[in-house]
Each structure stands twice: as structure tokens, then as C-alpha cells.
Amino acid sequence: MRQSIEWMVGGQQGEGVDSTGELFAKTLVRYGYSVSTYKQFMSRIKGGHTNYKIKATDTRNYYSGDGIDILLCLDKETLTKNGVNLNEGAVVIQEGKEILVEVKQTDHGTSFTEFTVPLKKIATDLGNPLAKNMIALGISAGLVELPVEVLNSFIEDIFAKKGEKVIASNKEAVLKGVELTKTHVSDQINALSVVPVSDQLFISGNEATAFGSLMAGCRFLSAYPITPASEVMEWLSDELPKVGGTVMQVEDEIAGICFAVGASYSGTRAMTSTSGPGLSLKTEALGMAGMSEVPIVIVNSQRGGPSTGLPTKHEQSDLNQMIYGTHGEIPRIVLYAATIEDAFYIAAEAFNLADKYQCPVIVGLDLGLSMNKMTVPSFDPARVKIDRGKLITDEEAKEYGETHFKRYRFTEDGISPRPLPGMPHAVHTTSSNEHDESGYISEDQTNRIQMMRKRLEKVRHAMIQEPFKYDDNGGETDIVLVGMGSTYGMIQETIKQLNEEGVVSASHLHIQQLYPLPTDKLEPLLTGKRVVTVENNYHGQLLQLLKQHMPIHNNAEAITQYDGDPFTVRTIAKQVKELISWQR
Amino acid sequence: MATVKDLRGDQPTWCPGCGHFSIMAGIQKAIVQLGYEPHEFAIVSGIGCSGKVSEYVRTNGFHTIHGRSVPIAQGVKMGNQKLKVIASGGDGDGYGIGLGHFVHASRRNIDMSYIVMDNNIYGLTKGQTSPRSEHGFVTKTTKEGNKEYPVDPVSTSLVNGATFVAQAFAGDIKQMVDIIERAIEHKGFSHVNIYSPCVTFNKINTYDFYKERLTKIDEPFENRDEALAKVRELDGLVTGVLYEEKRSDFQDKLGIDFDTQSCANGEMDVDLFHRVEKQFQ
């Protein structure tokens, strides 16, 4: 019996790699397993190697894993590119002329069983050449003794529109796969233990972010298509009209933010979603939202930069842009979910913070988090309550007795009561020019100083429910590994591994609120410790940020990777070991 | 019933004699004559001399950034379908840095008005050539004369599907007010280009220049081609409503029962949560 499985399907883009991977993942989810996935893909529609990696475990996991137990190859490149990651005793399923079972070794000396099957031919014989991937899935299911009923229920859903015949042939293909396994590689069968089925969702970071936004009352999204953020827009395109809202795909990135700012100004909870190049284009309007104190939520799913960079690859290099981007100085809040589960709550909280502090809130994501699905315990809708801040009614506005309502009234906390356009007693001016309390242009120096302080100090105490995650790993540790976004699972597993090996003890800090940085709370965790950030960029932007705010300069380094791939536990562990030995 | 006085906002700082004064007055007068109250409007302006109109006309105003009044104004309308929305800016703002948005707003047909104060020059930056400056126009940045040819605003909106296209002149307030009223009442995207002489920096396109050359039309043309032909024939020197088409606007076409503003303090909608959650199970 096994408690976990690492599985990958690879092939050429357009060959159904994605759908095959997702189907197997969902089957494992339905079986009760905790599943993490990672999709590798290229910036083209057809052709080029792509793969879908799954790790399923009987306890909760947050990382799709370094290794492979079963590798399903739909093209020749799959084995060449991924053979290096095979675990000892792995099974490799290959397309070939005839059935063949061979034990082989990789260049690194890992032995594996290669099971060659004429998938296409068998599928054609079954009367449905398109079902070849289903045979391969049947083989996979057979190798871990997954009940075919689970796979079949998905087949019924997927092919519902194609009719009984197609459903039947696909089911038959799965059975054929299971049978092939039993007949030819029965010694490789190792069943997955049965786990209790729990109430879990299988969802991507983009979907969780969009879902959280919907639940927070967001009713308008305007955006421009961009990888890896498009799914936020696509998902809400289906959901918003059902609740009286709408998504607009507009002419460009600038319009994307401008429409949303306009909708938010008029009182609708509104957002835009983008990736690095789009955020670059949006930065002037971002400044406008900050200056004119209009709430706005901007989702930025990072990809490989700079410029067009690596558009379908993972990176975490927009930290500086999210925190500092735009001319002049504006109030803003920058959040970055550690896990897909957190993405739901952070999106919802972002709308509250935007309303409460009347400023832009940037919700950071990265390709790893955005595009890959993971199982999460179902969300708790009671955890975040909708808070619209100092939004006032016409009645309340009337009490001020002003002909022209002072939109930028000075208050103790710097936040002004906010009426909406359309209220009879609250005609007011909103402005991106420096302005006085009435919103009218002012170049008066005293006013300028007061207004700057009002705006920039109001966000100082902004704080989400969980500004960071910290695991002290049971006590005093040698080092603190610090991360953000989708590195959560890898860092967690690295620490576990290093601990087991007795190499070094490490605690884990994962920051979810990057700006304003919760320095008071972070300082006791970091000062006097050896700090090692783990981040997907060249400069170590997270390290720079921490150094800027805390006295950790003499004892802090960054482990960086910017090749477009996410970290593996192997690479982080190796680099931690190097750092440690180097100091000794 | 609001009066023009109720629509006076901040004290204008335009140069004495600037065409923008007349356009501001035209907007105020149109709103009053149509019987609206100031709170029913949102005027979204861009940057430049013209951008200040959102402060000078006392309705709800949003003085935004250069070239973006049109997308922001459309967003305002999407956020609150009941507001009357006017975007306003200059020729540099709308036909230079913001031209893309103008084309898309024309084809999208959201119910709003776009009033452009066209003075054929960059005034607030003190006299550089604009996308509306005529060929050969001499400015600080085109000392040998402008080598480019001007953008044709009304043809652009006509060609790209705007359902109301008009042109007016700041020197003819009566006609201008009538046009602005019709633009406000038009359901869909209405574009009004208004010749507004810059008395400080533009010594070519003066009040007299326009008075001598403009041809007034009384009735809109039957179709876009006729309107386009006339604009071409008169080299753009024509005023009046050139074209108007009754067509359902963008929001009608969406067919959504809008409910964008009811988000209030309290718990998340648990029923909605459970309905949506199912797709991820």
C-alpha cells in the first residue's frame, strides 16, 4: 500500500495533456486525496512540450512534488525532459508498436520499468482513436488500484454532450487500461490506501481569488486578457451576470483599470486583473486611485519578466513594482497569498481594505499559484465580513449641511466620509490633482502638507487577518526561511527534510502582507536570526524589502531562482546546505 | 428646480476670452434647461485647460488623468446605471493620448456624452502642436511648421459606430446648448466636438477664423456616408448634429438586471457561496 503518488503526463500542446492530467487529478481528489498540481506550458497554441504534474497524498500537501512515480508519455520528449525526476522504481508508460515491458536505468542510475503500449492502435480497435489517453489513464488507475467508477463518473460528465456511444467507448478504454496493467505489469501494482473522503475543493489560485472577490460583493471587473491572470476574468464572466454584475474585456490595460476606478467611484465594488506588463501600463491610473482616494482592487499575477519576458513561466519579480510602482507617493496596500486557500480570504479582505482606507489594494499572485489547482478545505464564508468603511448615505451627508460636500475632509484617522455620486445632498468633487478638502485644485503649501500626511498616514495601521504565517518548527531554530506566494509548500517540505536529515533546523515565515509591512510583528521573529529568503527573482526583492525595514543586514541572504520554473525541494535544500557550510 | 447659479463650482482660471468659458456655460445651461439637478450628473474630465471643467461645473466631478476621461466615465456608468455621465477633455487629451479609448467608446455605445473642447493646440503646457493642429502650424515644437496632418474627430466617431455625432462652436452658444442638450438626451455614446479658440497660444484658429468658415447644418444626415461626405467636403468646418441613430445601448444589449450597488456591511451571501462552491467539489 502507498500513501502518496507522484504522477505526470507529458506531450505536445494540443494533445489533451491538460485535460488528461486534470481528469486524473480530479479522480484522486474524489478518492479523498490531497492533491497539488503544476502545469508546464509554452507560449503557443499547438506544439511544444507540455506536462501536468500531480502529487497526491493522504495528508494535506501544498506542493506538487520533486519526483515522479508514474510518467505517462504522449510524446518522446516527455521522458527526455522529465526522466531526471523519476523516483526509484517508477513506471514509465510509452506509446509504441507493441506491448513491451523493460527495466531500464536513467543517466543518474535510477531504475524504472518502461511499459510500452500501442495506445493508438488499441483505441482504434475499440472504435474511438481519441480514447488513447483514456487507456493510459486506465493503466495509471490500475497501477494504484483506483476504482474505475470514480473515473467513469467524470467521463459521463465530460462527454455528456457527445452521447452514449462516446461515453461507452471511453469507459471501455479505461477498463482496457486496467486490464493491460493486470496482465503485463501486475508486479508494479501498488494500491493507494483508502482515506476518508473529506469536504474539499479542487481549485486554482485564480479561481479562489475570483471566488473571494465575488463573495466580497465585487460586481464589476474590467480587464485585458493576459497570461496568467485571464482566468480571473473568464471565471467572473460566467458568475457576475448571475448576480447583477458584469465583466468587461476592454481595449487595453489602461482602460482595464480606468473602467474599474470609474465603477468604484460610483459605488460598485470593482476590480481589474492583470500580470506584470499590464501592471506597468496601469501604474499612472494606480496613482490616480491613490491620489483621488478611490478604492480599487488590482490583481497582479506575476510571470517571467521583464518586458514580455517569459509569458508562460513562473516568477516573483514584481514585488518592487507592486510596492513602489507609480510616480509620486500614494497610499496603497499590497497583499500576496501564501496558498490557494488564503487567496480566497485575501481577495475578500482586499475589497474591505480598499473601502476602509479608500486606496488601491494590490493582490499579488504568481503563475504557480494562479494557474495550478490544489485541494483545499472548503472556505468559511463567515471568516470575512463585508466592511464598506466610511461610505455614507445621503441622510448622513445631509447632516453636514454643505452645498458642495467636502470629499476630502480632514479627520483624525485621515479617512474622509465618502458619499457617492447621485446622492442629492452630497454633490462632490473627486480629483487626481492636489486638492483641498472640497476637492478643488489647490497649490497652497500648508494644504499640500496636510493632504500628503492625510493620505500617506491613513494606511499605516492597515492589517489583514493573517499578515504572515509563521512556523517556529517546535522551538529555537538555526535559520529562518522566508518566502511569499507559491513557494509555501516547497519551503515547508524543505524544512521537514532538512530536519529529518539533521542538517539544520529552520523556522518558516511566509509573508502575506507586503505593504505596509507588519514590521512590529516581524522584527522579533527575524532580528538576531540567520534570515534566508527563498524567492523567484534575481535581486532578492523580498530580502531587500526586509532589510529596508529591519536590522538584519549582517545576517541575511537570498536563495533565488529566475529560470522560469518554480523551486523544487531539492534545489532549496541544496542551497540552504551550501549557505550553511559556507559560513562554517 | 436648479438654476445656472446652482451649477457654479470653483472659480474658473482660464484666460479671459477662452472658448472654454462658453462651453462650461453651455453645459450648465443644458443641464438646467433639461430640468436636471446637479447630483444627477457626473462629469469626468481629463487633463489640460479643459480638464478643469469638472470642478467649474458643480455637479459630481472627477478630475482624472491625461487621456483617460472616456474609459473612466464609461466605468462610472457601468457602476451606476442611473447617473447621467459626461466625459470632457481637450483635443490633446482625447485625440492624442486618449485616441484609442475614443474609438472604442464609439463602437461600444455606452450611454454617455463626450464633449471635446477642441482648440487645436496644447494650451496648459504653453503652446505645443496638438493632434488637431493643421498642417504647417508653427509652434514651439514645430518651428518649421507641423509636418503631420490633423486627426479628423467627427469622421473617426462616425466611422467607428458612434450613435450621435455633432460639432459645435464656442462662438455660437445658442446652437451649442441645443446640441449639448440633444447629446445628453441621446441614449448611447454621443460625441460632440466643440471648436474652442485658444486666445493665448493659437493665432490661427481664432473666433473670426471659425465665423468666416463654418457652415451650419440644421438636420442630421440620413446616413453616415452622407455625413462623412459633408465633413470631407467642408474640411471639417461644419457645425450641427451630423448623425443620430436610435439603437439599444451597450448596457441594454448585455441584458443584465444590474444590481451593482447593493453590497452592504455584514455577512457574505452564504446561499451564493454554497451554490458556487459546488463547481469546485
Side-chain angles (χ1 to χ4, degrees):
Chain A
M1 293 289 259
R2 60 168 114 208
Q3 279 76 42
S4 77
I5 175 81
E6 291 189 78
W7 180 93
M8 180 189 275
V9 56
Q12 293 292 300
Q13 276 181 188
E15 269 193 316
V17 172
D18 237 35
S19 50
T20 306
E22 180 139 337
L23 189 53
F24 198 60
K26 280 183 169 169
T27 307
L28 289 160
V29 175
R30 186 87 38 110
Y31 194 55
Y33 270 68
S34 175
V35 175
S36 294
T37 66
Y38 195 87
K39 289 192 277 191
Q40 278 279 7
F41 64 108
M42 296 170 97
S43 187
R44 41 174 128 158
I45 311 292
K46 282 194 189 289
H49 178 73
T50 170
N51 61 56
Y52 193 108
K53 172 75 204 297
I54 293 171
K55 183 172 185 179
T57 50
D58 60 352
T59 51
R60 181 142 187 221
N61 80 64
Y62 292 92
Y63 170 48
S64 57
D66 285 6
I68 301 167
D69 297 317
I70 299 174
L71 179 62
L72 169 52
C73 309
L74 300 177
D75 69 356
K76 292 281 170 229
E77 264 179 274
T78 303
L79 184 57
T80 353
K81 287 209 157 130
N82 304 289
V84 63
N85 297 319
L86 290 179
N87 291 331
E88 186 64 31
V91 178
V92 174
I93 304 159
Q94 286 273 28
E95 166 84 47
K97 282 201 176 113
E98 55 192 21
I99 290 174
L100 205 63
V101 180
E102 288 172 287
V103 176
K104 289 186 169 178
Q105 278 209 333
T106 66
D107 299 342
H108 299 266
T110 311
S111 65
F112 64 93
T113 302
E114 188 173 63
F115 182 25
T116 307
V117 185
L119 296 168
K120 209 178 274 174
K121 187 179 171 295
I122 298 172
T124 312
D125 293 346
L126 288 173
N128 184 357
L130 294 174
K132 73 178 172 83
N133 293 3
M134 291 297 167
I135 300 171
L137 278 182
I139 297 171
S140 303
L143 285 167
V144 296
E145 289 196 341
L146 265 182
V148 290
E149 296 77 38
V150 190
L151 251 175
N152 283 347
S153 67
F154 287 113
I155 288 175
E156 281 164 18
D157 292 346
I158 296 167
F159 300 107
K161 281 181 188 158
K162 305 221 164 163
E164 285 301 318
K165 210 175 153 193
V166 175
I167 292 174
S169 65
N170 276 288
K171 282 184 180 176
E172 209 179 327
V174 169
L175 278 178
K176 183 74 192 169
V178 175
E179 186 195 305
L180 286 164
T181 308
K182 284 183 182 157
T183 317
H184 302 282
V185 284
S186 61
D187 58 328
Q188 297 298 320
I189 296 173
N190 185 359
L192 272 175
S193 62
V194 180
V195 294
V197 176
S198 61
D199 180 21
Q200 51 179 4
L201 308 180
F202 185 55
I203 187 169
S204 73
N206 277 343
E207 289 165 338
T209 301
F211 190 7
S213 303
L214 173 78
M215 292 316 304
C218 172
R219 291 296 177 267
F220 185 76
L221 175 142
S222 45
Y224 188 77
I226 190 167
T227 305
S230 299
E231 285 159 2
V232 175
M233 170 166 57
E234 289 164 4
W235 190 84
L236 284 169
S237 296
D238 287 338
E239 299 301 329
L240 280 183
K242 296 179 197 163
V243 291
T246 190
V247 164
M248 283 184 74
Q249 181 186 322
V250 291
E251 58 266 25
D252 57 36
E253 291 281 0
I254 296 173
I257 186 168
C258 285
F259 268 78
V261 167
S264 176
Y265 157 79
S266 71
T268 297
R269 278 199 159 175
M271 71 190 291
T272 183
S273 53
T274 191
S275 183
L279 187 59
S280 296
L281 286 161
K282 290 182 196 301
T283 51
E284 190 193 14
L286 169 73
M288 169 182 67
M291 181 60 156
S292 58
E293 305 196 47
V294 175
I296 182 73
V297 173
I298 302 153
V299 172
N300 179 47
S301 174
Q302 302 165 87
R303 67 188 206 187
S307 189
T308 310
L310 294 168
T312 65
K313 301 292 174 191
H314 169 79
E315 208 165 88
Q316 301 179 310
S317 52
D318 292 350
L319 209 61
N320 289 341
Q321 183 176 220
M322 293 193 283
I323 296 173
Y324 306 110
T326 208
H327 57 281
E329 296 155 298
I330 58 159
R332 77 174 83 195
I333 295 163
V334 182
L335 310 175
Y336 192 172
T339 69
I340 290 175
E341 188 180 352
D342 294 301
F344 176 86
Y345 300 110
I346 280 185
E349 281 196 87
F351 285 91
N352 284 347
L353 292 175
D355 265 343
K356 196 169 168 192
Y357 295 98
Q358 300 176 7
C359 74
V361 179
I362 299 175
V363 174
L365 289 170
D366 54 51
L367 185 139
L369 205 51
S370 273
M371 299 198 66
N372 299 297
K373 290 186 181 178
M374 205 180 259
T375 44
V376 301
S378 186
F379 308 121
D380 174 13
R383 192 174 129 179
V384 180
K385 294 187 178 49
I386 292 169
D387 176 2
R388 302 225 51 191
K390 288 197 189 176
L391 207 56
I392 58 169
T393 61
D394 185 48
E395 243 69 314
E396 289 164 326
K398 191 180 172 185
E399 281 170 26
Y400 288 90
E402 292 161 354
T403 318
H404 196 72
F405 188 88
K406 283 183 183 164
R407 169 67 187 90
Y408 301 108
R409 188 180 315 276
F410 290 119
T411 59
E412 216 157 279
D413 60 6
I415 303 161
S416 315
R418 177 182 167 227
L420 296 178
M423 293 179 175
H425 301 93
V427 173
H428 64 280
T429 300
T430 302
S431 184
S432 86
N433 282 63
E434 187 57 277
H435 44 258
D436 59 19
E437 288 182 278
S438 68
Y440 291 153
I441 291 176
S442 168
E443 292 178 13
D444 178 81
Q445 286 167 315
T446 311
N447 176 75
R448 163 71 175 178
I449 292 165
Q450 259 183 300
M451 275 295 168
M452 283 291 278
R453 285 184 180 158
K454 165 194 180 347
R455 284 190 298 268
L456 296 170
E457 289 173 16
K458 69 178 178 178
V459 293
R460 269 197 310 195
H461 302 294
M463 192 73 69
I464 55 171
Q465 290 178 1
E466 198 181 8
F468 55 85
K469 290 173 182 287
Y470 182 67
D471 180 359
D472 69 358
N473 201 13
E476 277 297 305
T477 55
D478 304 327
I479 60 169
V480 188
L481 291 182
V482 190
M484 54 186 171
S486 68
T487 53
Y488 184 78
M490 301 141 203
I491 294 177
Q492 196 192 45
E493 285 192 29
T494 304
I495 290 173
K496 202 169 146 227
Q497 188 185 314
L498 292 172
N499 212 27
E500 281 167 8
E501 290 175 4
V503 179
V504 63
S505 67
S507 41
H508 181 187
L509 174 67
H510 223 75
I511 302 179
Q512 299 203 97
Q513 181 172 313
L514 294 165
Y515 194 89
L517 195 67
T519 314
D520 292 353
K521 290 178 178 163
L522 293 177
E523 215 173 312
L525 306 178
L526 296 179
T527 40
K529 304 275 174 62
R530 184 157 190 193
V531 176
V532 180
T533 62
V534 180
E535 43 187 318
N536 290 113
N537 59 63
Y538 176 85
H539 281 112
Q541 296 180 20
L542 180 60
L543 178 68
Q544 291 173 344
L545 179 73
L546 297 177
K547 279 185 174 177
Q548 192 189 337
H549 290 274
M550 283 170 280
I552 56 165
H553 297 70
N554 299 329
N555 214 5
E557 303 81 343
I559 292 175
T560 61
Q561 182 177 319
Y562 39 87
D563 62 357
D565 273 351
F567 279 106
T568 58
V569 169
R570 199 184 302 133
T571 49
I572 303 174
K574 184 165 165 267
Q575 293 200 57
V576 169
K577 285 176 192 167
E578 274 170 18
L579 278 178
I580 303 245
S581 65
W582 175 71
Q583 203 192 31
R584 279 174 193 155
Chain B
M1 200 50 187
T3 64
V4 168
K5 205 171 149 238
D6 296 322
L7 282 144
R8 282 191 195 136
D10 201 11
Q11 190 61 37
T13 54
W14 292 314
C15 307
C18 175
H20 295 1
F21 280 104
S22 311
I23 300 171
M24 173 188 77
I27 295 171
Q28 289 165 329
K29 210 165 176 189
I31 292 173
V32 169
Q33 288 184 5
L34 290 169
Y36 288 110
E37 296 294 327
H39 72 269
E40 295 176 271
F41 274 79
I43 299 182
V44 183
S45 64
I47 295 303
C49 293
S50 57
K52 296 178 177 174
V53 73
S54 59
E55 274 132 65
Y56 300 162
V57 176
R58 200 190 69 85
T59 63
N60 297 291
F62 192 173
H63 194 162
T64 67
I65 44 177
H66 203 24
R68 315 299 166 204
S69 68
V70 172
I72 294 165
Q74 290 171 91
V76 172
K77 187 72 182 181
M78 292 304 294
N80 181 347
Q81 304 76 35
K82 291 188 194 109
L83 277 177
K84 299 294 289 182
V85 179
I86 295 175
S88 189
D91 49 312
D93 190 82
Y95 307 142
I97 191 166
L99 181 75
H101 303 304
F102 167 53
V103 170
H104 293 285
S106 295
R107 74 183 173 89
R108 189 176 286 126
N109 199 35
I110 285 179
D111 184 18
M112 58 165 280
S113 306
Y114 181 35
I115 297 172
V116 184
M117 308 182 185
D118 180 2
N119 58 12
N120 315 75
I121 198 158
Y122 282 86
L124 202 55
T125 47
K126 304 201 176 356
Q128 298 83 12
T129 190
S130 102
R132 285 282 299 134
S133 297
E134 65 181 44
H135 187 69
F137 194 68
V138 176
T139 68
K140 288 174 190 165
T141 51
T142 49
K143 287 180 180 153
E144 303 298 320
N146 182 17
K147 305 297 178 203
E148 300 172 7
Y149 293 86
V151 166
D152 179 344
V154 286
S155 297
T156 303
S157 53
L158 274 170
V159 163
N160 286 289
T163 50
F164 182 101
V165 181
Q167 193 152 255
F169 170 43
D172 183 346
I173 295 184
K174 193 168 168 291
Q175 186 203 26
M176 177 176 64
V177 171
D178 175 60
I179 288 173
I180 294 174
E181 284 182 20
R182 288 166 69 179
I184 288 172
E185 291 301 274
H186 174 78
K187 198 161 167 1
F189 182 76
S190 51
H191 171 221
V192 185
N193 188 65
I194 308 181
Y195 290 125
S196 178
C198 173
V199 292
T200 305
F201 293 109
N202 191 336
K203 304 300 181 196
I204 306 286
N205 308 100
T206 61
Y207 286 98
D208 286 341
F209 172 92
Y210 287 114
K211 274 178 193 155
E212 285 159 19
R213 291 171 177 79
L214 284 175
T215 301
K216 222 188 248 190
I217 58 147
D218 299 324
E219 284 298 316
F221 292 98
E222 288 281 305
N223 58 56
R224 292 174 192 270
D225 286 344
E226 284 176 35
L228 282 164
K230 196 59 158 182
V231 171
R232 170 158 290 195
E233 178 197 319
L234 296 170
D235 200 18
L237 292 165
V238 53
T239 59
V241 177
L242 299 168
Y243 183 70
E244 182 169 17
E245 181 185 326
K246 292 208 182 343
R247 197 210 294 166
S248 54
D249 66 12
F250 177 79
Q251 290 178 329
D252 283 345
K253 279 187 189 288
L254 283 178
I256 292 167
D257 187 8
F258 285 104
D259 178 16
T260 58
Q261 299 214 311
S262 57
C263 176
N265 291 348
E267 300 276 339
M268 285 178 173
D269 180 346
V270 179
D271 292 340
L272 174 65
F273 176 82
H274 290 301
R275 206 158 66 230
V276 174
E277 178 197 36
K278 282 202 184 84
Q279 61 179 284
F280 300 114
Q281 280 168 340

